[in-house]
Structures are given as structure tokens and as C-alpha cells.
Amino acid sequence: MSIRTEKLTHIYMPGTPFAAEALNEVTFEIKKGRVALLIGPSGSGKSTLIQHLNGLLKPTSGQVYFDDQSIQSSKAELLRLRRKIGLVFQMPEEQFFSETVFDEVAFAPRNLGLTDESLAESVYNALNRVGLNAEEFKDRHPFNLSSGQKRLVAIAAVLSIKPEVLILDEPTAGLDPAGRQKLFNLLADLNSNEAITILISTHHFDEVVTLADQVMVLKDGRLVMDGPRDQVFNNREKLESLGLALPSVTELMQDIAAAGFQVKTGIYNLEEARREIGRMKERQF
Ligand SMILES: Nc1ncnc2c1ncn2[C@@H]1O[C@H](COP(=O)(O)OP(=O)(O)OP(=O)(O)O)[C@@H](O)[C@H]1O
Ligand SMILES: [Mg+2]
């Protein structure tokens, strides 16, 4: 059970003078229940890749599989898969088409044929889950929200159908630090308590990196690194040559170790770093 691509290639506007290759033979697998991060410079193909994973874009060549079933195989199959894969766009407003927040979040469960009462319940639950007060927000127009609130509505709209896989393109853009922490807590909860598989594309991975099992790196449409988190972040030279930085805490701990102190590396959050530095002091004296 997984989401997988095989030699996925995408060319925008093929056969025209504007033809642009955005993905070049990208092959990877994310196993069920895992959290994967997709990182890479601007224009490296992250959003293009993500839009292939629920069939919004069609591969120029190559395949996308969900649970070993090609998502290209039939229209019915594609619709079935879209109910299992919740995709939150980089620009959430690009996915809005309802007049109210309620209708936006209700759209997918309504299509699944929920009755009025259970529909309202699932909308309220989804809004509360992302930290938006349902009573306060349900009648607002989705376009008239702040960018952080739009993102939360977009997340609620996909959570309302209880997806098996959640894919988020730059989910922290527009969120304040408290909003980022809330989103982090929500993702951690969805993954650990509901076993939802998660793929996050991001430039700002200091928080979400603590959740990640796997890290994939795109550069100019090619998957140039893919592996367990510690393995990818241990290869600092390669990441830096790709113009990418490590999470700040991880980089600092590696610097301390390189300066000759006995500390563990492979550390991704401040708390863990504090504890490790405490242990280092104990060892020193
Ligand atoms: N609709 C489109 N038509 C033509 N080219 C496109 C289109 N969308 C993206 N591209 C090109 O494809 C490449 C990959 O773009 P993509 O949006 O996937 O990158 P990204 O990694 O998501 O970047 P960012 O971090 O800025 O969001 C870029 O060179 C971009 O200019
Ligand atoms: Mg993008």
C-alpha cells in the first residue's frame, strides 16, 4: 500500500516553442502511514509533481500508482482515488468555488451523498479540527479570508472526506507561528492517530521536519535525493551544492559535533537539542 511514481515526466505545452520540461523521469515511493517531505528550490517541479498525484495533471510519460493501481487506468478509478487523496493547493484560493465556507467544506461530503444532518456534522468537525470556529466562519465568503484562514479552510475541505493520503503544497505559507504550530500538531495527530499518509512540499521545514520519515529533493525536475530523513540531512555538502539549507537546529548540532564536542547529530527540534547540550555539559565536567 503506497503512492508511487515510475519515470514520471511532465512537459508543459509540449510541441510548442514554449515547451518546458518540469519533471524528468521521477521515480519514488511513499509507504502507507509515512510522512514524506518534498523539498527543492523554486521552479524545481514540486507543485507539478503534487498535481500528478491525484490526476490533476496527466504525465507526458511515466506512471502514477496508488496501491499498485495506475491512477490513469480509468475515469472511475481516478474518481475513487480522489476520495482517498486530499490535496491542498499552494494557493488555496485556486481550489475554492463556493460562496460560503460551509459549502466549500461541504462540497466533497455532499457529493458522497451525506444527509443534511451528518453533512453539517462533518463540516463542523472538519472546521473545528483545523482550529476554525465553525459558527464564526461558516457563512463567510472563502475569498474574503486571510491567507492563513484560506489555507485552513482548504485543509478542512479535504479532511471532510477523511482521506487516506493528505498532500499539502507549501502548507505553512501565510500562517503565523501559532498557526504553524497548530498545523504541525494537526498533521502529527492525523498521522499518528489515524495513520494518514502525508506528503508536504515546503521551503520552511523547520517544524514539519520533526514528523518526516522520508525526504525527497527535486532540482530542475529531477529527483536528486530520496531517502530516510537522517540519511538525506547527513549529506550536508550535497544539499548545500543544491542551494538548500539544513533545518537550523540540525545544522547547529552538526557544527557543534564538527567542532570536536561529543554530541548526537540527527536532531531536528529545539527541545531535543537542549537536552543533548545538557548531556554534553554533564559529560564535560
Ligand atoms: N502552467 C504552466 N505552464 C508552463 N510552465 C509551467 C507551468 N507551471 C509551472 N511551470 C514551469 O514548470 C517548472 C516547475 O514549476 P513548479 O510550479 O512545479 O515548481 P515549484 O517547485 O513548485 O516552485 P515553487 O517552490 O516556486 O512553488 C517551472 O520552471 C515553471 O516555470
Ligand atoms: Mg510550487
Side-chain angles (χ1 to χ4, degrees):
M1 298 267 270
S2 67
I3 193 155
R4 182 162 71 81
T5 65
E6 210 174 275
K7 294 194 170 181
L8 176 62
T9 295
H10 189 84
I11 300 173
Y12 284 108
M13 296 181 281
T16 74
F18 306 105
E21 188 181 71
L23 294 175
N24 184 316
E25 302 205 339
V26 172
T27 300
F28 67 84
E29 178 174 13
I30 303 168
K31 293 225 156 63
K32 189 175 163 54
R34 301 279 167 83
V35 177
L37 282 193
L38 177 62
I39 63 178
S42 265
S44 56
K46 303 181 296 298
S47 296
T48 304
L49 175 57
I50 279 176
Q51 289 172 73
H52 278 278
L53 301 182
N54 78 342
L56 280 171
L57 289 176
K58 281 205 170 74
T60 304
S61 62
Q63 287 289 340
V64 178
Y65 298 94
F66 182 65
D67 289 349
D68 288 324
Q69 183 85 33
S70 163
I71 78 167
Q72 239 62 53
S73 60
S74 71
K75 188 120 201 247
E77 190 58 27
L78 185 59
L79 289 175
R80 195 178 70 82
L81 292 166
R82 282 200 180 142
R83 289 183 185 162
K84 296 187 173 184
I85 301 178
L87 171 55
V88 180
F89 286 41
Q90 183 162 11
M91 306 282 197
E93 53 272 31
E94 285 177 8
Q95 71 196 99
F96 293 156
F97 48 85
S98 303
E99 301 279 316
T100 65
V101 165
F102 184 94
D103 284 341
E104 193 60 51
V105 178
F107 180 79
R110 198 173 258 146
N111 270 353
L112 295 179
L114 257 63
T115 60
D116 283 354
E117 203 176 302
S118 51
L119 182 69
E121 193 185 318
S122 67
V123 170
Y124 275 53
N125 281 343
L127 285 171
N128 290 330
R129 192 91 199 258
V130 299
L132 290 175
N133 182 311
E135 281 302 332
E136 191 185 324
F137 282 94
K138 68 181 173 44
D139 299 322
R140 300 269 307 265
H141 198 296
F143 283 94
N144 299 340
L145 301 172
S146 78
S147 58
Q149 290 163 345
K150 281 178 186 157
R151 183 163 311 280
L152 295 175
V153 168
I155 296 173
V158 303
L159 288 184
S160 65
I161 53 160
K162 299 190 167 32
E164 289 177 20
V165 180
L166 187 58
I167 301 175
L168 306 110
D169 197 355
E170 277 293 343
T172 53
L175 295 180
D176 62 13
R180 288 204 299 271
Q181 188 61 43
K182 270 196 213 148
L183 175 66
F184 170 82
N185 293 341
L186 173 65
L187 296 177
D189 181 46
L190 290 169
N191 179 249
S192 57
N193 295 328
E194 292 172 37
I196 293 181
T197 309
I198 299 178
L199 171 63
I200 305 166
S201 105
T202 183
H203 290 286
H204 310 99
F205 44 81
D206 272 8
E207 277 126 359
V208 286
V209 72
T210 41
L211 296 178
D213 302 295
Q214 175 181 359
V215 176
M216 301 189 286
V217 184
L218 272 180
K219 167 88 171 170
D220 298 332
R222 290 168 195 270
L223 192 64
V224 288
M225 294 175 90
D226 178 16
R229 175 187 61 184
D230 289 359
Q231 184 189 314
V232 170
F233 286 123
N234 254 329
N235 201 341
R236 182 164 162 180
E237 236 168 63
K238 181 155 183 194
L239 279 168
E240 285 175 352
S241 76
L242 296 166
L244 296 167
L246 302 183
S248 340
V249 173
T250 315
E251 183 168 336
L252 183 63
M253 294 307 285
Q254 287 187 7
D255 286 347
I256 294 173
F261 294 94
Q262 260 185 39
V263 285
K264 222 170 67 178
T265 55
I267 283 181
Y268 299 91
N269 69 62
L270 213 48
E271 266 320 298
E272 231 185 307
R274 282 201 185 100
R275 278 199 299 274
E276 185 57 23
I277 288 172
R279 281 194 285 269
M280 178 184 94
K281 275 172 67 185
E282 279 164 24
R283 282 195 289 268
Q284 218 83 19
F285 300 107

